[in-house]
Amino acid sequence: MTNTKLVSAIGNAVERYIEDYDIYDQDPHIRINPANLNVAIVNGRDMLDEIEDSNEAVEDAAGAQGAASEQSTDFQVTQNPDFYALNRLVIVMDDGHMVPNDDAIKNIAANYPEVSDLSTGL
C-alpha cells in the first residue's frame, strides 16, 4: 500500500465517522494493523478489549519454549493494532460541522515508514 492509499483509507474512515458520528461511543478510535495496514473505526471500549487481547496473546506466546516462542511473539507484536483518537482527526468548524484534519491524517500515515518509503520509491 502506498502512502497515498493509506492517507485515503484513513480519510475515508474519518469521513464515515463524520457522517455517522452518533453511532459511536464517546471515545472512538481509528485502528490500524501495522502488518497489513487495515484501517477500521472502533469504539473506545472495543479498543480497550483489543489491547487486553493483544497483551494476553503476547504473554501466551512468551510462555512457549524455544525458537517457536520467539517467532510467535514476534508475529504477535506485528499484529498488535495502533489506535488513534478520532477527535484528533477532525476539525470542528465555526458553524459546528466537522471536516477531516488532513494534516493529522498525513501525520498518522507518516508513522508507517515502510509505507512512506514505498511512496517515494525508496
Side-chain angles (χ1 to χ4, degrees):
M1 178 181 289
T2 64
N3 184 270
T4 302
K5 287 183 181 178
L6 181 58
V7 167
S8 178
I10 297 167
N12 289 339
V14 172
E15 288 283 349
R16 283 192 311 274
Y17 166 71
I18 290 170
E19 291 172 9
D20 294 321
Y21 72 93
D22 56 339
I23 68 170
Y24 300 101
D25 69 9
Q26 297 295 322
D27 192 26
H29 284 69
I30 293 285
R31 176 186 64 211
I32 300 176
N33 179 319
N36 61 19
L37 300 179
N38 183 30
V39 176
I41 301 173
V42 296
N43 284 312
R45 181 67 204 155
D46 297 331
M47 176 195 66
L48 295 175
D49 290 343
E50 287 188 38
I51 290 171
E52 185 177 332
D53 290 344
S54 294
N55 289 341
E56 286 178 17
V58 169
E59 289 172 12
D60 290 345
Q65 295 187 3
S69 167
E70 187 173 332
Q71 290 174 348
S72 180
T73 302
D74 291 346
F75 173 76
Q76 181 56 45
V77 169
T78 66
Q79 295 296 311
N80 288 344
D82 298 324
F83 296 96
Y84 302 92
L86 264 161
N87 66 356
R88 295 180 183 238
L89 301 178
V90 297
I91 298 170
V92 180
M93 306 305 286
D94 290 339
D95 64 1
H97 82 277
M98 294 183 283
V99 296
N101 183 335
D102 292 334
D103 290 335
I105 292 168
K106 289 175 185 173
N107 286 337
I108 287 174
N111 288 329
Y112 301 89
E114 66 278 8
V115 172
S116 297
D117 289 348
L118 289 173
S119 69
T120 61
L122 298 176

